Amino acid sequence: MSLDDQKNAVRERVWSTLIEAQISAPDARGYIPDFIGSERAAELLASTAQWQRAETVKANPDTAQLPVRARALAENKLLYMAVPKIATVRPFYLIDPARSRMSPTEAATSRGAAANSPLVGTEEMRPIDLVVCGTVAVNRQGVRLGKGAGYSDIEVALLIEDSLVNDNTVIVTTVHSLQVVDEPLPEAEHDFRVDLIITEKDVIACPSARRPSGLIWPSMPAEKVAAIPVLRKRAKRGLGR
């Protein structure tokens, strides 16, 4: 079984478990699952020293992490939110609570960010203190599986390559406890591990930090590079393959 097949088998099992337990919406399959308890997970994350020290946060745009993004803005943290599918050459929204006229929850939605927050490229960004990522399955060593599109890995790799994420940056995910598995999970060279897993019940510190050195160009099919403007731009500048 290929690495991708192994990953997909775990994803399918976890999606089915969440749906059957009525923890996530029926359309969870194929997505970062929104889950019952996401607000509580955000509260637990906010209680950690890592969160309290953070001034700049980068987060994924999925609904499951909306409570985390809203809390970041409510606590006056500068928030960078990835553009869905990294679909613009400037791939992040800059959501500044000092300039927002919306409520934190409204400003932290994809629709609110698209309507009211400027797009920025990595050359315009501040160093990131804490990264929040969406996850389908994760184990206690910090190995995580996203939904399979690879966007989070590319986003983190871009930030590493441009010295905005380093070994001091904390990477966290918020998930339901049913998404935490005890088995080893398959990893590829481009995968990163999380430092903290936050569930609706507890905070799990992961023992083995792992970061790629940057973009792993051989792992990205040509069609993916062509579909993501910031990758296409870097490839044309000779920064890729």
Side-chain angles (χ1 to χ4, degrees):
M1 185 182 291
S2 72
L3 190 68
D4 285 343
D5 287 341
Q6 293 175 51
K7 289 183 174 184
N8 285 332
V10 176
R11 291 183 185 106
E12 290 294 337
R13 191 182 76 235
V14 171
W15 281 324
S16 295
T17 297
L18 292 172
I19 292 167
E20 290 168 10
Q22 298 185 332
I23 296 301
S24 187
D27 64 350
R29 189 169 277 106
Y31 296 89
I32 297 298
D34 193 12
F35 61 93
I36 295 172
S38 60
E39 293 276 359
R40 175 58 181 158
E43 290 177 9
L44 287 176
L45 173 56
S47 73
T48 66
Q50 293 91 332
W51 173 269
Q52 291 166 10
R53 286 195 298 265
E55 296 180 0
T56 57
V57 175
K58 178 268 174 187
N60 58 304
D62 301 276
T63 303
Q65 282 69 48
L66 175 58
V68 176
R69 299 193 301 272
R71 184 173 286 269
L73 296 176
E75 296 183 14
N76 293 314
K77 299 180 188 296
L78 193 69
L79 177 65
Y80 295 108
M81 186 172 78
V83 174
K85 298 183 179 181
I86 327 178
T88 58
V89 71
R90 290 179 170 177
F92 300 97
Y93 293 111
L94 167 59
I95 311 177
D96 186 347
R99 298 183 179 182
S100 177
R101 297 181 181 180
M102 307 176 76
S103 72
T105 298
E106 291 173 321
T109 63
S110 291
R111 181 176 295 181
N116 296 281
S117 297
L119 292 169
V120 293
T122 54
E123 69 280 1
E124 303 167 87
M125 295 170 64
R126 300 183 193 177
I128 308 299
D129 299 318
L130 187 139
V131 171
V132 182
C133 61
T135 294
V136 174
V138 65
N139 67 19
R140 292 174 183 272
Q141 285 66 50
V143 184
R144 65 172 283 280
L145 302 180
K147 61 188 176 186
Y151 295 124
S152 286
D153 295 314
I154 293 170
E155 291 158 15
V156 169
L158 284 168
L159 296 171
I160 289 172
E161 205 159 81
D162 290 354
S163 301
L164 297 168
V165 164
N166 57 38
D167 290 344
N168 295 320
T169 305
V170 180
I171 304 181
V172 309
T173 190
T174 56
V175 294
H176 192 273
S177 51
L178 290 176
Q179 294 173 256
V180 182
V181 301
D182 292 325
E183 70 206 70
L185 291 175
E187 289 181 278
E189 184 182 4
H190 60 263
D191 292 327
F192 62 85
R193 293 186 181 187
V194 299
D195 302 305
L196 289 178
I197 304 165
I198 318 293
T199 76
E200 81 289 2
K201 295 179 179 179
D202 53 12
V203 175
I204 302 168
C206 303
S208 304
R210 184 178 188 274
R211 311 275 194 273
S213 58
L215 292 163
I216 311 296
W217 289 94
S219 72
M220 291 183 285
E223 58 269 22
K224 174 152 284 189
V225 174
I228 298 176
V230 66
L231 295 184
R232 194 165 64 242
K233 180 179 179 181
R234 291 188 181 214
K236 287 181 178 178
R237 288 165 52 197
L239 300 179
R241 306 173 194 276

